[in-house]
Amino acid sequence: MTTATAPPLSDADIIRLAQNDHQDTSSVPPYLLSSESHEALISFLHSRSSFHSPSLAVSEYAHSLLSFIFLAPETPSLSSLLSSLLVNYINLFALLKIPRDTNSVKTIHFFSTLLNHVPIKDLKSVVNLIVLDVLHIVNLDDAQLLELLPKCFDLIRESERGGDYVNSVFDRVLDCNWSKGLLVKMVSLVKDFAFIDKARGREFLEKVFDEMKIVDLQDLPSLVYQLLVLASKGFNKREIIEGIVGFFGSKMGSKVTSIVRQVEGTVLLHFNFAVKQDPSLGQEVIGLVKSDVQAFNHFTVSVMLSIARVRRFSETSMRILKTAVVAAYHDSKFSKDCKWLPDNLKEEYLQRVKVVEKAVLRAVNESNNGREHIVPSVVQLGLLLLESLEEGNLKEFCSSNGLLGIEELGIQILKTLFEVYDMARNEIIEQCKFRVLSLKPAQSMLIIRLIGILVRSYPYPMLEHVPRLKELLDYFTFMNGKVASYLVTALLPLIKFSRDLQDYTVLVVRKAMFRREDTVRLAATNAIIDLILAEKQSKTDGSFSLQDSSSQASCSQQEIPCSTGGGLFQELNALLQRCLYQQAKVKEVMYHGFVRLVLVDPSTGGPVLDFLLPHFLCFIGEDTDGQLGVSQCVKTENGKALIQEPLDCLLFCVSLILLLQPHGKINRDSDAPWTCFGFSFSQEAEEGRKLPSETLSSALLKIRKLLQNGNLKVLSDILGQTQEENTCLGEEKRKCCSLILLGIIEVLLNTIANELEKASDAEKLELEKEFIGFVDLHDSLEKDSCTRHGSGTRRVNVRATAPDTPNIPDSGNNLTQERISFLATSSIFQLLEIVVKLYNIECSNGVTASQKHSQSSLSKTTKCCSKMISFVLDATLRQIKSYPIVGKEDPLKTLIYADINILGGPLLKLIFLLKSGPKSMTDQKKKETKGRKSVEERKEHLHLAFVCLKELITISLRSSRLTELLEDLLSVATVGHGLDNESEESSKIDDQHIRSKELFIEKLLKPLILELLGLSYLREVEVLYDVLLMLGNKLPCKWKNSHGAWAMDLCKSPHTNVAKSVVKLAVCLTAPPNDLLVAQAIAEELLKVTKMEVDDSLEVSEVYPLINQSTSTNITSCILQIIETVIVDMDWAIKELKRFCLIAQKSIHIHRNGEQSPGMTFEENLYLRAEAVVKVLSSFALMSLNYPQAEHYLRLAAKFYKHLAQMSKLKIAPKGCKQLFPSLQYQKLVELTCKQLTVPLYNFVAEMQRVQIENDKSKGAINKIKRENKCIPDLIFQIEDYEKYLIQLSKKSKVNLLRHAKRSTARDFRILDPIREDASNHEHEANHIDSAAAEDESGEYSKDNEMNSSENVLSPPAVEDSESDGQNGGVSPAAKRLKRGRVVQDSDAEV
């Protein structure tokens, strides 16, 4: 009654009452309590929204009403008024009649405090109105009403069936188009939505990152910060991190502007700050990079570099980033070599590593835009990559596929930083200095290479760091010899800009020459030569002289006298003189250095010869007799004979310098040794003085004449007689003298070859005779040396390594590498031509021998020719093998080796001649002893020639010149032997490289193989098989398969001595998956020959006669080795499968045009490969193998079951993820393994133990028992581990995977004592069968559970933890278990 008579109030009255009565808020005006007043009160709200300044008017009125409602919100009339007021306010807000400002924010906040008193029905209306207004939200102010949603959702969810309504409303919001204001507001509010679980949160984040592209660039950092705050509160951390790096790495990746880079820099700072506040975010970033390669982009790299600045993550972040980059290269290389991967997956791996390269380089290139804080991390990353030593095969793979490679990527990173950032230069140089001194020599070489690149690219900035480089040079005498030498070589380009650095380097080298260590003196000698070469090259290139550049003086300049104009050669003359009194290795380095010096500047030949002449005359007198003091070159030290003077190297150096000298008088005034001391000879003395070049040339001619008609007596005089002649020390001295003399002969042969190129026809005949004489002398000397030492082996090369090979790791002081050959490639070419000519004459003489020559003359010609062939083939093989050792930039490589492919033509000619042979030998003398010996020599020469050809093809295969070599060989075969150089099939090949390989195989290799097989030249056939395999693996599948089929045809012929190579060809030249089908077919035929039951075995396979009792062992070994390579491939494949499984669990499948995802394709291919391995291994389980092969087979089986266990474990879904149904291909693999491999394996092991017990009295029984104690328990453990995961997978997937497993198996494999155990064998076996039968009857699934639980106690919890491997000698957990029986029971009705 009171409310009905209450006087009406205007809006102004309500505001006044609210303002005046704010102190007494215990009563509500009666007018407001009347429900009839609500319409008027709402009309006041609408009228105030039409004011000129509606913001304050509406806000004051709404606040006044809400303040009165707040006093009694539970009153029904006020609750109804509240609902009406809220709905109308929302409508006015949506109609833009209420301004978006602070007043509206306060009003909406006031409404949110009273939402508890709004009826649920009205709340749903409010929510519907707000959701309808979502489409009109443009900016953040338009989204003020969304502040009401969290509380509305909570209140509605508390009501009956409220959760469904809330979810439907949330879905409506996600389905609509978002504006940037709505997106930002939703991100700030989503943390208050308590109903959102992980799945709904993932949907929300997908919507956010899909719509982020509409947000203004300047708003992105704040939005990312909100997302990081959201992640720190536990809201889908991994998804937020993935979304952010994916957005900036992919969706924003195409926008490369300065503003975008600045925005990314700010976001990186937010990341850094967020990780400091919440380290779990850093763990998520690291985990993302580890598990998902697809998330790797330039922004991911930047984020990792940013969080690396947080001390807690500095090492971990850098290690994971380095591992990801290195793994991308290795995975791509492995996938390229993996035969069974499809081409699309190989291409995907290649593209992935290219993406990684581009991502890293882009992150580095953009590091100067608001992200300077990551520069120290970039420096660390570049150095870590540089320290990762690349294998040679990986370098070849990278270069052939247009990739930088790990080493080059690290160099490019640091080079970019050095160019862009001044502040990074000090850090780079300081880190380089530290690492050169602390790392291993091979790694230090890479750091020094970086220094050299920086010196060549940025010489002037590097001048600022000369003090640090001088500090590094202070450790010259403490470094590895090659590292020290390489350091000086790297700094040479900087020396011409800094006299201070040059003087300091000379001072360091001078000190090093007085050290005791041989390696230090070698490094110092190399440094001296390099310093002189650098000066000569700078003059040759037109650069200013070293002496013309100036820098600040240093203390070192006070100790080193300034040059008087003679150059460094004269300035360092005293140090070079000291080298003449060092060990032989030091002298060899100096002699080779002089040759390089003359190659760079021929005008220095005169001073070098002046320098060498006095030393030369100490061993070769100037008298008319031409004495050769070889014995003076050997000394005795500590009871051992050592070469003190490498006289052959000295002669080699002198002969090359004389050859390189320009015609005419040599100018030696400015570079004479004495000019550095400030005086010269008088004119009369100078005119009467003989030129050193004339003296040396005359001495070489005397030596040549002395040895030209030498015999063993002359050689004995040259070698000298010692009082220890008949002692061991005397023999050693004579051997050293022989080695020197052999080298001198090679030098003379090289000189004759040079003369032969320019000689007339008449002169060529004399020179060829001289050639033959020296080869005969070389052979006689070699035989004499070998006879005296009681050894039939050829001369061992004890020369030092070529001086300019810094890229080869030091192999230690006890080993020496192949020296630079004294015979140039052109000389060997001449020798080959002469040998071919001689052999042609011998063949023609063989026909008319009875008419024109006596038997003795023919024998002499044959003997001479045999010596020539033996010598030239040895020289050719040594030349080819030493070719890759010499550095590419070494001038001697061009001078000595030149184009090594020119040896291919005459080598093939010689092969054809040796293959046919002289008719006199083949027809008349086969039964004579000498004839048989000649045939054996010819076969030995033919084998050596094929080896040379194989090595030559191998070298060309690594370079880009294989096609050129093969075409040259084909032309020789076509012209000289009438082979057809074209075929119908090859004419269809467009690629020249493929066509040349195919023609070489079809027209040359295969005919040669068949012909040699007919002649029973089996060793030669083995070499050709290697060449065929090497070239065939480089062909596409179509052509490769044809050669594999050809090899399979060879298996049908009984060439028993080459059975292993033929089988290897047949399998390896068949493209997957058919390669293991071939292996399976051969294994099945092998089983027929090697069955356990001897009575059922065949002597020879009916399908492949190549397989018989005599070849079974070799073929078994070959197949097992092939399967081992497949299992090794599976090890890498399972790691990749694990990564694909992680992606599948996150439901991140990449489908392209409805095709299978790469992960599913990869998985199916792996299962097919494993299935093929099972089929091959199953045949061997039924064979009777000898013990080493049986042991090898068991170890392979254990490894294979380990991989199967890992596959099965990956099929089991982790907690929180849905268990996927095992694929049909996987089920087939399990069934095949249980049926065909597991069951026969137990019988194989039992039989193996039985045979071992019978033969335990042999000498090797103890060792066999020890090995068996490892391999058998390990195999049983791996089988049990595999079946354990199968049981777990069966339970989760409800698919009985063990229905084909063996019902009962007593896994009681131990080495039995035949004395104690023989009496109880029958009783034990009967008890075991009874217990097995009882267990079979109780085939309950619960017993499986009991067994499984007990196995879990005794077995490791995960496959990764059981890394025991029989080959590594580790004892598996199964070896430590007590003896017990194992039962695997399943029935078809279990699941």
Side-chain angles (χ1 to χ4, degrees):
M1 295 298 294
T2 314
T3 57
T5 60
L9 297 174
S10 64
D11 54 347
D13 294 335
I14 294 173
I15 294 172
R16 179 178 51 77
L17 287 173
Q19 292 176 349
N20 293 337
D21 299 338
H22 66 279
Q23 295 180 354
D24 184 13
T25 58
S26 59
S27 61
V28 179
Y31 182 74
L32 298 182
L33 295 174
S34 172
S35 58
E36 297 176 358
S37 64
H38 291 179
E39 184 177 353
L41 293 173
I42 297 302
S43 65
F44 293 153
L45 182 66
H46 285 271
S47 61
R48 281 183 166 265
S49 65
S50 302
F51 285 6
H52 180 69
S53 298
S55 175
L56 184 58
V58 172
S59 177
E60 285 181 343
Y61 180 69
H63 269 266
S64 299
L65 282 178
L66 292 175
S67 62
F68 286 121
I69 295 172
F70 182 75
L71 296 176
E74 296 179 357
T75 305
S77 60
L78 291 181
S79 177
S80 175
L81 176 61
L82 176 61
S83 299
S84 300
L85 183 64
L86 178 56
V87 169
N88 282 275
Y89 187 88
I90 292 173
N91 287 328
L92 291 173
F93 192 91
L95 294 173
L96 303 179
K97 293 185 177 182
I98 299 177
R100 280 75 165 153
D101 53 14
T102 56
N103 291 326
S104 61
V105 172
K106 293 177 182 178
T107 304
I108 293 172
H109 179 69
F110 207 159
F111 273 118
S112 66
T113 60
L114 298 171
L115 287 177
N116 292 337
H117 307 287
V118 177
I120 297 300
K121 179 180 179 181
D122 295 334
L123 277 179
K124 291 182 178 180
S125 300
V126 169
V127 169
N128 288 333
L129 290 173
I130 294 174
V131 173
L132 287 174
D133 187 52
V134 163
L135 297 175
H136 304 96
I137 295 176
V138 177
N139 51 43
L140 192 59
D141 291 334
D142 295 337
Q144 292 176 4
L145 289 175
L146 296 181
E147 292 284 351
L148 301 174
L149 284 180
K151 196 164 187 179
C152 289
F153 285 159
D154 290 341
L155 293 172
I156 295 173
R157 287 179 65 246
E158 292 174 0
S159 63
E160 185 178 359
R161 296 183 179 179
D164 295 338
Y165 173 78
V166 171
N167 288 330
S168 64
V169 172
F170 190 71
D171 289 338
R172 287 168 56 193
V173 175
L174 293 181
D175 292 339
C176 69
N177 294 326
W178 285 14
S179 62
K180 57 183 179 182
L182 176 61
L183 187 148
V184 174
K185 192 65 178 179
M186 288 297 294
V187 170
S188 63
L189 290 178
V190 72
K191 64 180 179 296
D192 299 324
F193 293 159
F195 65 92
I196 295 182
D197 57 6
K198 199 169 186 65
R200 301 306 298 272
R202 189 178 298 114
E203 294 176 6
F204 171 78
L205 291 174
E206 288 178 2
K207 181 68 174 179
V208 169
F209 291 117
D210 286 341
E211 301 292 344
M212 267 182 69
K213 58 183 178 293
I214 64 176
V215 180
D216 295 335
L217 288 177
Q218 61 270 20
D219 295 332
L220 283 176
S222 61
L223 178 60
V224 171
Y225 185 76
Q226 290 291 336
L227 288 169
L228 291 174
V229 171
L230 191 62
S232 65
K233 296 183 181 298
F235 186 89
N236 293 62
K237 290 184 180 181
R238 176 60 65 88
E239 286 76 11
I240 289 178
I241 300 299
E242 285 182 5
I244 294 174
V245 299
F247 176 78
F248 285 97
S250 301
K251 297 179 182 179
M252 293 284 291
S254 59
K255 301 179 181 179
V256 187
T257 63
S258 59
I259 297 177
V260 172
R261 293 176 180 177
Q262 293 291 342
V263 169
E264 290 180 354
T266 307
V267 171
L268 291 177
L269 290 174
H270 288 332
F271 257 108
N272 184 274
F273 179 75
V275 170
K276 288 178 181 178
Q277 299 300 315
D278 184 9
S280 65
L281 295 179
Q283 296 289 354
E284 291 294 338
V285 176
I286 291 174
L288 175 65
V289 176
K290 285 178 64 176
S291 62
D292 192 359
V293 180
Q294 296 175 353
F296 200 97
N297 53 56
H298 77 281
F299 192 75
T300 309
V301 176
S302 299
V303 171
M304 290 287 287
L305 294 172
S306 180
I307 66 174
R309 300 301 300 150
V310 181
R311 181 178 300 178
R312 181 172 182 174
F313 296 102
S314 58
E315 293 184 3
T316 306
S317 179
M318 287 291 96
R319 176 171 52 83
I320 296 300
L321 191 55
K322 169 201 165 186
T323 302
V325 174
V326 173
Y329 282 102
H330 285 287
D331 289 345
S332 183
K333 169 66 171 58
F334 203 97
S335 67
K336 189 76 173 179
D337 296 337
C338 190
K339 299 179 180 179
W340 53 271
L341 274 185
D343 292 337
N344 60 336
L345 277 178
K346 293 183 179 182
E347 183 62 26
E348 184 174 330
Y349 278 100
L350 181 60
Q351 293 303 319
R352 181 189 301 170
V353 73
K354 290 182 179 180
V355 168
V356 168
E357 274 191 358
K358 292 179 181 178
V360 173
L361 292 177
R362 180 174 174 182
V364 174
N365 292 329
E366 295 178 357
S367 60
N368 59 341
N369 288 272
R371 55 188 83 181
E372 286 77 9
H373 69 286
I374 70 171
V375 170
S377 299
V378 177
V379 174
Q380 189 178 0
L381 175 63
L383 291 170
L384 286 174
L385 292 177
L386 202 56
E387 294 170 11
S388 304
L389 295 177
E390 281 184 322
E391 301 175 356
N393 292 335
L394 182 58
K395 288 185 178 180
E396 293 176 8
F397 167 76
C398 293
S399 61
S400 62
N401 289 277
L403 301 173
L404 286 176
I406 302 173
E407 180 183 328
E408 288 298 329
L409 182 60
I411 290 175
Q412 190 65 34
I413 290 172
L414 295 169
K415 185 179 175 182
T416 302
L417 280 184
F418 192 89
E419 179 183 5
V420 175
Y421 285 101
D422 291 342
M423 65 177 184
R425 294 173 183 172
N426 290 333
E427 180 70 14
I428 291 174
I429 300 301
E430 193 64 34
Q431 288 293 328
C432 286
K433 185 183 81 171
F434 171 75
R435 280 170 164 77
V436 167
L437 299 176
S438 60
L439 294 177
K440 295 179 180 179
Q443 294 173 311
S444 298
M445 302 284 264
L446 297 177
I447 303 297
I448 293 175
R449 180 171 175 244
L450 168 66
I451 296 176
I453 291 174
L454 295 179
V455 165
R456 291 193 299 271
S457 303
Y458 312 105
Y460 292 104
M462 284 295 292
L463 287 175
E464 301 175 5
H465 306 283
V466 166
R468 284 190 176 88
L469 299 177
K470 290 166 64 177
E471 292 175 7
L472 188 57
L473 284 171
D474 288 336
Y475 294 91
F476 184 91
T477 55
F478 302 99
M479 295 179 184
N480 175 274
K482 291 186 177 180
V483 174
S485 176
Y486 194 35
L487 175 62
V488 174
T489 304
L491 297 179
L492 288 178
L494 192 63
I495 286 179
K496 70 179 183 180
F497 295 99
S498 172
R499 175 60 187 268
D500 186 18
L501 182 61
Q502 173 200 327
D503 293 345
Y504 200 84
T505 304
V506 172
L507 176 62
V508 167
V509 170
R510 178 173 293 174
K511 290 180 179 178
M513 284 300 299
F514 290 87
R515 299 282 295 187
R516 291 185 177 182
E517 297 85 353
D518 294 344
T519 56
V520 176
R521 289 198 293 268
L522 276 173
T525 306
N526 268 317
I528 293 171
I529 298 298
D530 289 339
L531 283 169
I532 299 172
L533 276 173
E535 181 195 37
K536 296 299 181 182
Q537 286 174 342
S538 65
K539 291 181 179 180
T540 304
D541 297 340
S543 305
F544 56 89
S545 174
L546 294 170
Q547 283 74 24
D548 296 336
S549 61
S550 61
S551 60
Q552 294 182 356
S554 65
C555 60
S556 61
Q557 288 177 321
Q558 299 174 0
E559 299 184 28
I560 299 178
C562 296
S563 173
T564 58
L568 278 179
F569 179 76
Q570 299 306 332
E571 186 175 338
L572 301 177
N573 188 274
L575 288 180
L576 293 174
Q577 289 287 347
R578 183 174 179 81
C579 291
L580 294 175
Y581 299 95
Q582 302 294 326
Q583 287 80 4
K585 289 183 180 180
V586 175
K587 296 177 185 178
E588 288 186 12
V589 170
M590 183 179 66
Y591 296 153
H592 287 300
F594 284 157
V595 177
R596 292 159 55 203
L597 183 62
V598 176
L599 280 172
V600 173
D601 184 8
S603 64
T604 58
V608 169
L609 294 179
D610 279 338
F611 176 84
L612 291 175
L613 181 60
H615 185 69
F616 183 88
L617 295 178
C618 293
F619 304 96
I620 300 171
E622 287 187 281
D623 56 358
T624 56
D625 296 334
Q627 296 296 326
L628 190 60
V630 177
S631 59
Q632 303 174 25
C633 301
V634 181
K635 69 173 182 177
T636 305
E637 186 176 299
N638 297 327
K640 293 183 179 180
L642 300 175
I643 296 178
Q644 184 179 16
E645 173 61 43
L647 186 59
D648 49 355
C649 280
L650 176 59
L651 290 178
F652 177 69
C653 171
V654 170
S655 65
L656 286 183
I657 293 176
L658 292 173
L659 180 67
L660 295 171
Q661 285 302 297
H663 298 288
K665 185 178 181 180
I666 300 176
N667 183 13
R668 51 192 174 90
D669 294 338
S670 60
D671 288 329
W674 48 83
T675 56
C676 61
F677 301 105
F679 65 89
S680 62
F681 288 112
S682 63
Q683 183 176 359
E684 293 80 4
E686 184 68 20
E687 290 177 354
R689 183 171 177 264
K690 193 176 182 180
L691 290 176
S693 58
E694 297 175 0
T695 303
L696 293 171
S697 298
S698 175
L700 287 176
L701 286 175
K702 291 178 182 178
I703 296 172
R704 184 169 165 180
K705 291 179 180 179
L706 177 66
L707 298 177
Q708 189 170 5
N709 297 316
N711 50 38
L712 290 180
K713 183 178 182 305
V714 176
L715 293 179
S716 298
D717 295 338
I718 295 175
L719 296 176
Q721 302 291 332
T722 62
Q723 58 183 356
E724 307 97 345
E725 180 66 28
N726 296 323
T727 64
C728 182
L729 181 61
E731 294 296 332
E732 288 185 9
K733 292 182 69 174
R734 187 175 179 88
K735 179 180 179 181
C736 293
C737 293
S738 299
L739 291 177
I740 295 174
L741 198 54
L742 287 171
I744 292 174
I745 294 173
E746 290 183 11
V747 173
L748 295 176
L749 286 172
N750 196 60
T751 304
I752 297 171
N754 290 324
E755 295 177 3
L756 195 61
E757 293 179 5
K758 306 173 184 178
S760 61
D761 294 339
E763 294 173 340
K764 282 184 179 181
L765 292 175
E766 295 298 325
L767 289 174
E768 287 176 1
K769 290 181 181 179
E770 191 175 357
F771 232 134
I772 296 172
F774 276 117
V775 169
D776 186 60
L777 180 61
H778 188 282
D779 182 74
S780 301
L781 183 62
E782 196 169 39
K783 285 183 178 179
D784 177 67
S785 176
C786 293
T787 302
R788 285 178 171 269
H789 294 285
S791 173
T793 59
R794 292 193 179 275
R795 158 170 92 102
V796 179
N797 200 337
V798 294
R799 303 296 177 183
T801 304
D804 194 25
T805 54
N807 57 335
I808 303 172
D810 193 4
S811 57
N813 296 330
N814 296 328
L815 299 175
T816 56
Q817 296 173 339
E818 194 77 14
R819 65 164 170 86
I820 290 181
S821 175
F822 290 150
L823 281 171
T825 300
S826 58
S827 302
I828 297 176
F829 178 81
Q830 295 287 342
L831 277 171
L832 282 169
E833 293 287 347
I834 293 174
V835 165
V836 170
K837 179 180 177 181
L838 280 176
Y839 205 82
N840 272 321
I841 295 174
E842 182 183 349
C843 291
S844 62
N845 284 342
V847 179
T848 59
S850 60
Q851 302 174 6
K852 296 183 179 180
H853 299 284
S854 65
Q855 198 72 14
S856 59
S857 64
L858 178 60
S859 175
K860 183 177 180 181
T861 305
T862 303
K863 185 177 181 181
C864 175
C865 189
S866 176
K867 291 179 181 180
M868 285 287 293
I869 294 174
S870 179
F871 172 79
V872 73
L873 288 178
D874 283 338
T876 303
L877 185 59
R878 187 169 69 245
Q879 189 84 349
I880 295 172
K881 285 190 173 182
S882 63
Y883 178 81
I885 296 177
V886 184
K888 293 181 180 180
E889 299 178 358
D890 191 347
L892 287 177
K893 187 158 192 173
T894 305
L895 179 65
I896 302 299
Y897 292 95
D899 182 11
I900 202 166
N901 280 353
I902 63 173
L903 300 179
L907 194 59
L908 186 60
K909 292 178 184 178
L910 181 59
I911 287 173
F912 280 122
L913 289 173
L914 290 171
K915 177 175 63 67
S916 58
K919 295 185 180 296
S920 61
M921 292 183 183
T922 57
D923 296 337
Q924 300 176 9
K925 291 192 172 183
K926 280 187 177 180
K927 297 182 180 179
E928 297 181 9
T929 304
K930 292 183 179 180
R932 286 197 298 270
K933 184 178 179 181
S934 299
V935 171
E936 291 300 323
E937 285 183 354
R938 182 163 56 86
K939 289 178 67 175
E940 183 67 28
H941 294 158
L942 185 61
H943 177 263
L944 189 56
F946 277 125
V947 171
C948 291
L949 186 62
K950 172 189 169 184
E951 294 295 333
L952 187 60
I953 292 175
T954 303
I955 290 177
S956 300
L957 191 63
R958 295 173 185 169
S959 63
S960 58
R961 303 191 59 192
L962 177 63
T963 302
E964 179 183 344
L965 173 64
L966 296 183
E967 290 178 351
D968 289 344
L969 294 176
L970 284 170
S971 64
V972 169
T974 303
V975 174
H977 301 275
L979 294 180
D980 186 9
N981 200 15
E982 286 295 336
S983 66
E984 184 178 351
E985 292 294 328
S986 63
S987 61
K988 300 177 182 178
I989 304 176
D990 296 328
D991 192 319
Q992 182 183 4
H993 303 292
I994 298 176
R995 184 170 63 251
S996 63
K997 294 185 186 76
E998 182 65 20
L999 280 173
F1000 183 78
I1001 293 173
E1002 288 290 342
K1003 298 301 179 182
L1004 193 59
L1005 274 187
K1006 287 184 179 180
L1008 275 175
I1009 289 173
L1010 295 176
E1011 185 177 355
L1012 293 174
L1013 282 174
L1015 296 172
S1016 297
Y1017 285 8
L1018 302 180
R1019 292 175 62 209
E1020 293 72 21
V1021 171
E1022 294 274 1
V1023 178
L1024 291 181
Y1025 280 155
D1026 291 340
V1027 177
L1028 177 56
L1029 183 62
M1030 184 168 50
L1031 294 178
N1033 281 326
K1034 299 297 180 180
L1035 292 173
C1037 292
K1038 175 184 175 182
W1039 307 103
K1040 183 178 178 181
N1041 286 332
S1042 66
H1043 303 311
W1046 178 80
M1048 284 296 290
D1049 291 337
L1050 288 180
C1051 293
K1052 298 177 181 179
S1053 57
H1055 300 293
T1056 56
N1057 291 333
V1058 291
K1060 184 175 181 179
S1061 297
V1062 174
V1063 170
K1064 185 178 180 181
L1065 268 183
V1067 177
C1068 294
L1069 291 184
T1070 304
N1074 296 329
D1075 57 343
L1076 291 187
L1077 293 179
V1078 173
Q1080 179 187 348
I1082 293 175
E1084 290 173 353
E1085 291 300 316
L1086 192 62
L1087 175 60
K1088 297 177 182 178
V1089 178
T1090 59
K1091 284 184 178 180
M1092 290 185 181
E1093 297 80 7
V1094 181
D1095 297 336
D1096 297 338
S1097 299
L1098 299 176
E1099 287 293 330
V1100 180
S1101 170
E1102 297 176 356
V1103 180
Y1104 302 115
L1106 188 72
I1107 303 174
N1108 52 52
Q1109 294 287 348
S1110 62
T1111 62
S1112 59
T1113 301
N1114 288 334
I1115 296 176
T1116 299
S1117 175
C1118 177
I1119 298 296
L1120 288 178
Q1121 289 173 3
I1122 292 171
I1123 294 300
E1124 186 173 10
T1125 60
V1126 176
I1127 293 176
V1128 170
D1129 289 348
M1130 290 176 63
D1131 189 23
W1132 169 83
I1134 289 173
K1135 294 177 183 177
E1136 287 298 293
L1137 182 62
K1138 182 178 181 180
R1139 182 180 64 83
F1140 284 124
C1141 288
L1142 291 174
I1143 296 175
Q1145 290 163 9
K1146 295 188 300 181
S1147 299
I1148 307 179
H1149 294 282
I1150 300 179
H1151 298 279
R1152 298 174 183 173
N1153 301 324
E1155 298 178 358
Q1156 278 188 324
S1157 66
M1160 295 179 65
T1161 306
F1162 185 90
E1163 185 177 1
E1164 294 300 318
N1165 278 279
L1166 178 58
Y1167 294 155
L1168 287 172
R1169 200 67 174 169
E1171 184 180 327
V1173 172
V1174 169
K1175 292 179 180 178
V1176 177
L1177 290 179
S1178 62
S1179 297
F1180 287 96
L1182 303 175
M1183 294 182 191
S1184 176
L1185 303 177
N1186 57 39
Y1187 190 83
Q1189 291 182 335
E1191 182 185 4
H1192 187 200
Y1193 172 65
L1194 291 180
R1195 294 188 188 281
L1196 287 181
K1199 282 185 178 181
F1200 181 64
Y1201 273 101
K1202 181 179 179 180
H1203 293 331
L1204 291 177
Q1206 290 173 329
M1207 292 182 205
S1208 302
K1209 184 183 178 183
L1210 292 175
K1211 298 294 291 183
I1212 302 173
K1215 291 182 179 180
C1217 296
K1218 181 181 178 181
Q1219 176 63 53
L1220 300 177
F1221 190 82
S1223 65
L1224 296 177
Q1225 192 65 47
Y1226 176 77
Q1227 294 184 47
K1228 183 180 178 183
L1229 171 62
V1230 173
E1231 177 183 347
L1232 198 69
T1233 305
C1234 293
K1235 282 184 176 181
Q1236 298 188 15
L1237 186 58
T1238 306
V1239 175
L1241 262 178
Y1242 289 129
N1243 298 330
F1244 180 84
V1245 172
E1247 179 66 17
M1248 179 181 173
Q1249 285 194 319
R1250 185 188 64 78
V1251 174
Q1252 192 273 327
I1253 291 173
E1254 294 176 357
N1255 302 327
D1256 63 349
K1257 295 182 180 180
S1258 60
K1259 294 182 179 180
I1262 297 178
N1263 293 330
K1264 291 181 181 179
I1265 291 172
K1266 290 180 180 179
R1267 291 197 297 269
E1268 188 177 285
N1269 276 332
K1270 295 179 182 179
C1271 66
I1272 294 181
D1274 182 52
L1275 172 62
I1276 303 307
F1277 169 74
Q1278 299 299 345
I1279 294 176
E1280 291 176 355
D1281 205 38
Y1282 168 55
E1283 292 178 348
K1284 176 186 73 174
Y1285 289 117
L1286 286 182
I1287 293 172
Q1288 294 177 8
L1289 182 58
S1290 296
K1291 292 177 181 178
K1292 286 199 170 187
S1293 64
K1294 306 302 180 185
V1295 177
N1296 186 9
L1297 297 172
L1298 283 172
R1299 59 182 177 273
H1300 299 288
K1302 190 173 183 180
R1303 295 283 179 184
S1304 177
T1305 302
R1307 296 170 186 172
D1308 184 14
F1309 296 104
R1310 58 198 177 105
I1311 305 304
L1312 303 175
D1313 186 348
I1315 300 176
R1316 297 182 179 181
E1317 298 293 338
D1318 188 52
S1320 59
N1321 264 349
H1322 298 289
E1323 180 182 356
H1324 173 75
E1325 183 177 357
N1327 293 336
H1328 174 66
I1329 293 174
D1330 292 340
S1331 64
E1335 288 171 350
D1336 273 339
E1337 293 175 0
S1338 58
E1340 299 292 335
Y1341 205 82
S1342 60
K1343 293 196 175 184
D1344 281 324
N1345 294 340
E1346 293 174 5
M1347 183 191 66
N1348 191 25
S1349 62
S1350 66
E1351 198 168 28
N1352 283 335
V1353 174
L1354 295 168
S1355 301
V1359 175
E1360 287 82 352
D1361 298 334
S1362 60
E1363 293 295 335
S1364 62
D1365 193 344
Q1367 285 189 348
N1368 297 332
V1371 180
S1372 67
K1376 301 178 182 179
R1377 292 184 290 185
L1378 295 174
K1379 178 185 68 177
R1380 67 183 187 277
R1382 281 296 187 198
V1383 181
V1384 179
Q1385 300 166 353
D1386 289 286
S1387 65
D1388 294 339
E1390 285 175 2
V1391 290

